[in-house]
PDB file of all heavy atoms in Angstrom:
ATOM      1  N   ASP A 286      29.178  11.170 -12.578  1.00 97.00           N
ATOM      2  CA  ASP A 286      30.375  11.670 -13.246  1.00 97.00           C
ATOM      3  C   ASP A 286      30.073  12.238 -14.618  1.00 97.00           C
ATOM      4  O   ASP A 286      28.922  12.564 -14.940  1.00 97.00           O
ATOM      5  CB  ASP A 286      31.416  10.552 -13.342  1.00 97.00           C
ATOM      6  CG  ASP A 286      30.866   9.312 -14.030  1.00 97.00           C
ATOM      7  OD1 ASP A 286      29.729   9.379 -14.582  1.00 97.00           O
ATOM      8  OD2 ASP A 286      31.547   8.268 -14.033  1.00 97.00           O
ATOM      9  N   GLU A 287      31.092  12.320 -15.428  1.00 97.00           N
ATOM     10  CA  GLU A 287      30.957  12.898 -16.768  1.00 97.00           C
ATOM     11  C   GLU A 287      29.952  12.124 -17.619  1.00 97.00           C
ATOM     12  O   GLU A 287      29.118  12.707 -18.298  1.00 97.00           O
ATOM     13  CB  GLU A 287      32.335  12.903 -17.447  1.00 97.00           C
ATOM     14  CG  GLU A 287      32.355  13.573 -18.802  1.00 97.00           C
ATOM     15  CD  GLU A 287      33.767  13.712 -19.353  1.00 97.00           C
ATOM     16  OE1 GLU A 287      34.725  13.639 -18.549  1.00 97.00           O
ATOM     17  OE2 GLU A 287      33.925  13.901 -20.568  1.00 97.00           O
ATOM     18  N   GLU A 288      30.041  10.813 -17.574  1.00 97.00           N
ATOM     19  CA  GLU A 288      29.105   9.997 -18.350  1.00 97.00           C
ATOM     20  C   GLU A 288      27.677  10.166 -17.845  1.00 97.00           C
ATOM     21  O   GLU A 288      26.721  10.141 -18.630  1.00 97.00           O
ATOM     22  CB  GLU A 288      29.524   8.528 -18.282  1.00 97.00           C
ATOM     23  CG  GLU A 288      28.726   7.632 -19.201  1.00 97.00           C
ATOM     24  CD  GLU A 288      29.226   6.203 -19.197  1.00 97.00           C
ATOM     25  OE1 GLU A 288      30.297   5.948 -18.583  1.00 97.00           O
ATOM     26  OE2 GLU A 288      28.560   5.334 -19.786  1.00 97.00           O
ATOM     27  N   ALA A 289      27.529  10.329 -16.531  1.00 98.00           N
ATOM     28  CA  ALA A 289      26.197  10.543 -15.967  1.00 98.00           C
ATOM     29  C   ALA A 289      25.586  11.838 -16.499  1.00 98.00           C
ATOM     30  O   ALA A 289      24.391  11.897 -16.806  1.00 98.00           O
ATOM     31  CB  ALA A 289      26.287  10.580 -14.447  1.00 98.00           C
ATOM     32  N   GLY A 290      26.417  12.884 -16.620  1.00 97.00           N
ATOM     33  CA  GLY A 290      25.925  14.137 -17.177  1.00 97.00           C
ATOM     34  C   GLY A 290      25.464  13.990 -18.614  1.00 97.00           C
ATOM     35  O   GLY A 290      24.473  14.597 -19.034  1.00 97.00           O
ATOM     36  N   GLU A 291      26.173  13.150 -19.376  1.00 97.00           N
ATOM     37  CA  GLU A 291      25.788  12.916 -20.767  1.00 97.00           C
ATOM     38  C   GLU A 291      24.447  12.205 -20.876  1.00 97.00           C
ATOM     39  O   GLU A 291      23.719  12.378 -21.870  1.00 97.00           O
ATOM     40  CB  GLU A 291      26.881  12.101 -21.453  1.00 97.00           C
ATOM     41  CG  GLU A 291      28.209  12.843 -21.587  1.00 97.00           C
ATOM     42  CD  GLU A 291      29.308  11.965 -22.168  1.00 97.00           C
ATOM     43  OE1 GLU A 291      29.037  10.758 -22.372  1.00 97.00           O
ATOM     44  OE2 GLU A 291      30.428  12.471 -22.394  1.00 97.00           O
ATOM     45  N   LYS A 292      24.093  11.401 -19.881  1.00 97.00           N
ATOM     46  CA  LYS A 292      22.812  10.692 -19.886  1.00 97.00           C
ATOM     47  C   LYS A 292      21.676  11.581 -19.377  1.00 97.00           C
ATOM     48  O   LYS A 292      20.560  11.547 -19.901  1.00 97.00           O
ATOM     49  CB  LYS A 292      22.900   9.436 -19.015  1.00 97.00           C
ATOM     50  CG  LYS A 292      23.931   8.429 -19.484  1.00 97.00           C
ATOM     51  CD  LYS A 292      23.560   7.875 -20.844  1.00 97.00           C
ATOM     52  CE  LYS A 292      24.585   6.858 -21.318  1.00 97.00           C
ATOM     53  NZ  LYS A 292      24.283   6.366 -22.704  1.00 97.00           N
ATOM     54  N   LEU A 293      21.975  12.365 -18.349  1.00 98.00           N
ATOM     55  CA  LEU A 293      20.920  13.164 -17.727  1.00 98.00           C
ATOM     56  C   LEU A 293      20.525  14.380 -18.571  1.00 98.00           C
ATOM     57  O   LEU A 293      19.374  14.825 -18.524  1.00 98.00           O
ATOM     58  CB  LEU A 293      21.383  13.639 -16.341  1.00 98.00           C
ATOM     59  CG  LEU A 293      21.531  12.542 -15.275  1.00 98.00           C
ATOM     60  CD1 LEU A 293      22.146  13.130 -14.002  1.00 98.00           C
ATOM     61  CD2 LEU A 293      20.185  11.899 -14.961  1.00 98.00           C
ATOM     62  N   GLY A 294      21.465  14.936 -19.347  1.00 97.00           N
ATOM     63  CA  GLY A 294      21.180  16.117 -20.165  1.00 97.00           C
ATOM     64  C   GLY A 294      20.036  15.914 -21.140  1.00 97.00           C
ATOM     65  O   GLY A 294      19.036  16.658 -21.107  1.00 97.00           O
ATOM     66  N   LEU A 313      30.173  16.146 -12.089  1.00 97.00           N
ATOM     67  CA  LEU A 313      29.819  16.551 -13.452  1.00 97.00           C
ATOM     68  C   LEU A 313      30.904  17.486 -13.978  1.00 97.00           C
ATOM     69  O   LEU A 313      31.173  18.537 -13.391  1.00 97.00           O
ATOM     70  CB  LEU A 313      28.461  17.270 -13.452  1.00 97.00           C
ATOM     71  CG  LEU A 313      27.267  16.462 -12.924  1.00 97.00           C
ATOM     72  CD1 LEU A 313      26.004  17.288 -13.006  1.00 97.00           C
ATOM     73  CD2 LEU A 313      27.103  15.169 -13.710  1.00 97.00           C
ATOM     74  N   GLY A 317      30.410  15.960 -20.129  1.00 97.00           N
ATOM     75  CA  GLY A 317      29.174  15.703 -19.398  1.00 97.00           C
ATOM     76  C   GLY A 317      28.519  16.991 -18.929  1.00 97.00           C
ATOM     77  O   GLY A 317      27.294  17.137 -18.981  1.00 97.00           O
ATOM     78  N   PHE A 321      24.937  18.352 -20.365  1.00 98.00           N
ATOM     79  CA  PHE A 321      23.891  18.601 -19.375  1.00 98.00           C
ATOM     80  C   PHE A 321      23.384  20.043 -19.486  1.00 98.00           C
ATOM     81  O   PHE A 321      22.169  20.297 -19.391  1.00 98.00           O
ATOM     82  CB  PHE A 321      24.422  18.347 -17.965  1.00 98.00           C
ATOM     83  CG  PHE A 321      23.400  18.589 -16.895  1.00 98.00           C
ATOM     84  CD1 PHE A 321      22.472  17.612 -16.565  1.00 98.00           C
ATOM     85  CD2 PHE A 321      23.359  19.807 -16.220  1.00 98.00           C
ATOM     86  CE1 PHE A 321      21.521  17.842 -15.589  1.00 98.00           C
ATOM     87  CE2 PHE A 321      22.406  20.039 -15.240  1.00 98.00           C
ATOM     88  CZ  PHE A 321      21.491  19.056 -14.930  1.00 98.00           C
TER      89      PHE A 321
END
Side-chain angles (χ1 to χ4, degrees):
D286 55 9
E287 184 173 340
E288 188 176 352
E291 294 175 355
K292 299 296 180 184
L293 291 174
L313 301 181
F321 180 83

